[in-house]
Amino acid sequence: IADTERMPTVDTSASSLARTDAGPAQEVIIRPPGAFAHLDLPELWRSPPLPPSTALLLTGAPAQEPIPPQLDALLLSLLRDDPVARPSSSAELIDRLSNLLGPDRQSRVDSEDLHFENVAFVGRVRELRRFRKQLRLAAQGHGQFTIVEAQTGMGRTRLLHTLALEARVANTVVLQVDAASYPEQYGAADALANKLLDALPEHARSAAAPYAAALAHISPRLAARLGMGVDRPPEIAGELRVRVQSALRDWLLALTQSHTLVLLLGGLERADHGTRAFLLSLCHARSTARLLVTCTQLSAATERENAGPLERALRHAARIESLSGLSETESFALLSSVFGHADNLARLVSRLQQLTQGCPGHLLELAAALVRSDVIRFVQDTWVLPQEIPDEVLPKSREAALLSRLSLLSA
């Protein structure tokens, strides 16, 4: 933190505080993050922050491309405590950033990096209606367990984020984890356990006390948060696995007596064996719990045919739902959130719908590819869509569109 106004200082060691005199009336104080006590913050807030260009110079970093005054002003406006002084919307912020980048970069930033990353959530009315019903049942003590299957690009991740928002609005405790990010044994279960301790620090730790000795075997981090050492594992093969899975299940079930828990797990097919066994155990014991579990899974017939006993047992115990492609009306709504009410949008949607069968990920990737190839252009704040799209400019598949996108990163 750097500030050029004289202010009360916090006693620190020489290794954690650097000071540079800037004259008798001013001094520059540079402190590492966290060096200021919370009592100092009101005094700091009285002084406006330095322009980023000035703050960069004070760091002593090697010379970089100078920060334009317009960017200085924009960044400072984002930090103003007066809402009127800040950009009124994300659209205004995008416009101002686009003007700073100039006409050569405007189309690229507006279309790919921003518009395609903030598309509307469309369709899935049936799935949302069913999830809301499940939320009500779970809150009444009728546990729910669902596996949502879909092909790549059908929007499993986006659906899970939307369900998380729905559950938070319903005042439940939401634990959301992507299994692919935690490949180690009990990795996803450990992530869920730590998120539970984050969400309910006192209640979760208190409820874990009877099971802490077994839970400590899941990970050193969880053991430390529960204040436990790790006991020597039992000699009987498989006993520790059973104890850990039972402890996880019973811990969560104990918390459902006072809270409605919503577990959202993405990429069930990537979850480790221990996590899946824990989920199966939880599924069998859910009937009277204030619990809702929803997992997403990549659907593939060959994977189901070659599934092991644990995977088949999960599918048998859970409710299975499948995501289908969007209708043409829903696809129109999706691309309208990108291109607005541009001319020829209906023709574009009709063409892409035939190629993608309503797969939202494929639909957006093809549209982005048309923007990158300048078939669709952004001119004077307006999208210009062609009446006809030549076959040769369309990627032959979603994979081809993704490869085209990746090639730009190294260009």
Side-chain angles (χ1 to χ4, degrees):
I1 300 175
D3 200 298
T4 55
E5 297 290 330
R6 181 177 297 275
M7 62 185 74
T9 60
V10 179
D11 291 335
T12 57
S13 64
S15 62
S16 65
L17 174 62
R19 175 178 298 174
T20 302
D21 291 335
Q26 288 185 322
E27 63 182 11
V28 176
I29 300 176
I30 302 175
R31 304 173 192 250
F36 288 111
H38 71 279
L39 294 177
D40 295 306
L41 293 177
E43 181 68 22
L44 294 175
W45 292 332
R46 294 191 181 97
S47 303
L50 290 174
S53 55
T54 304
L56 183 61
L57 290 175
L58 291 174
T59 65
Q64 305 287 335
E65 183 178 348
I67 297 177
Q70 299 91 332
L71 182 56
D72 261 344
L74 176 57
L75 293 174
L76 288 175
S77 72
L78 292 170
L79 298 175
R80 294 286 296 274
D81 55 1
D82 181 8
V84 177
R86 300 194 294 263
S88 60
S89 65
S90 58
E92 180 185 341
L93 179 60
I94 291 171
D95 290 340
R96 291 177 65 177
L97 286 171
S98 298
N99 290 333
L100 282 171
L101 288 171
D104 294 338
R105 294 287 303 277
Q106 182 170 331
S107 176
R108 173 65 53 82
V109 172
D110 271 343
S111 61
E112 297 174 36
D113 296 338
L114 298 173
H115 286 276
F116 282 92
E117 292 179 1
N118 295 281
V119 298
F121 180 80
V122 302
R124 312 309 181 203
V125 175
R126 181 191 63 180
E127 289 80 8
L128 285 176
R129 185 183 300 118
R130 188 170 293 154
F131 183 78
R132 289 165 185 157
K133 180 180 179 180
Q134 291 178 330
L135 272 178
R136 292 192 297 271
L137 290 172
Q140 296 166 9
H142 305 289
Q144 307 291 309
F145 198 107
T146 303
I147 296 175
V148 179
E149 296 184 331
Q151 297 289 346
T152 301
M154 281 295 181
R156 289 169 295 145
T157 301
R158 182 66 184 273
L159 175 65
L160 216 57
H161 287 311
T162 302
L163 298 184
L165 179 59
E166 290 277 337
R168 290 188 178 96
V169 170
N171 198 31
T172 65
V173 178
V174 180
L175 311 175
Q176 183 177 1
V177 166
D178 180 10
S181 301
Y182 305 95
E184 62 275 8
Q185 182 71 332
Y186 287 110
D190 180 42
L192 288 168
N194 278 282
K195 286 180 178 291
L196 185 56
L197 287 168
D198 292 337
L200 300 170
E202 296 181 6
H203 289 91
R205 184 165 180 170
S206 175
Y211 319 106
L215 294 172
H217 287 279
I218 294 178
S219 74
R221 180 189 177 196
L222 186 58
R225 296 191 69 177
L226 295 176
M228 296 293 297
V230 180
D231 296 335
R232 182 178 178 180
E235 296 181 0
I236 302 176
E239 182 180 344
L240 179 61
R241 181 175 64 250
V242 173
R243 283 172 50 192
V244 168
Q245 292 166 6
S246 298
L248 269 171
R249 177 199 63 206
D250 294 344
W251 179 31
L252 265 68
L253 292 177
L255 281 166
T256 63
Q257 296 178 17
S258 55
H259 300 81
T260 301
L261 300 186
V262 175
L263 276 61
L264 303 174
L265 181 73
L268 179 61
E269 76 281 358
R270 305 285 295 275
D272 61 276
H273 186 277
T275 295
R276 282 181 286 177
F278 150 66
L279 290 173
L280 179 60
S281 176
L282 193 62
C283 182
H284 286 314
R286 73 185 187 275
S287 59
T288 60
R290 292 166 58 185
L291 174 71
L292 191 159
V293 181
T294 297
C295 306
T296 62
Q297 179 169 271
L298 181 65
S299 59
T302 54
E303 289 186 0
R304 290 200 295 271
E305 292 169 1
N306 299 324
L310 181 56
E311 290 74 20
R312 291 197 298 270
L314 265 173
R315 286 182 53 82
H316 178 75
R319 178 190 183 101
I320 304 297
E321 295 183 5
S322 298
L323 291 182
S324 57
L326 301 178
S327 67
E328 187 163 333
T329 299
E330 292 167 341
S331 296
F332 184 89
L334 179 66
L335 289 186
S336 292
S337 71
V338 177
F339 299 118
H341 301 291
D343 293 341
N344 302 318
L345 179 60
R347 297 169 69 93
L348 172 69
V349 171
S350 180
R351 179 73 185 279
L352 297 187
Q353 182 77 8
Q354 295 175 5
L355 295 172
T356 65
Q357 303 302 308
C359 174
H362 192 186
L363 196 74
L364 290 169
E365 201 59 56
L366 288 183
L370 293 174
V371 173
R372 290 193 293 270
S373 60
D374 286 333
V375 174
I376 296 175
R377 294 176 296 122
F378 194 67
V379 180
Q380 296 181 348
D381 297 334
T382 302
W383 286 105
V384 179
L385 279 56
Q387 289 188 351
E388 301 294 338
I389 301 175
D391 291 338
E392 59 271 15
V393 302
L394 279 169
K396 302 303 181 185
S397 64
R398 185 173 186 235
E399 289 72 20
L402 290 170
L403 287 174
S404 172
R405 184 177 175 186
L406 286 173
S407 68
L408 294 176
L409 298 179
S410 58

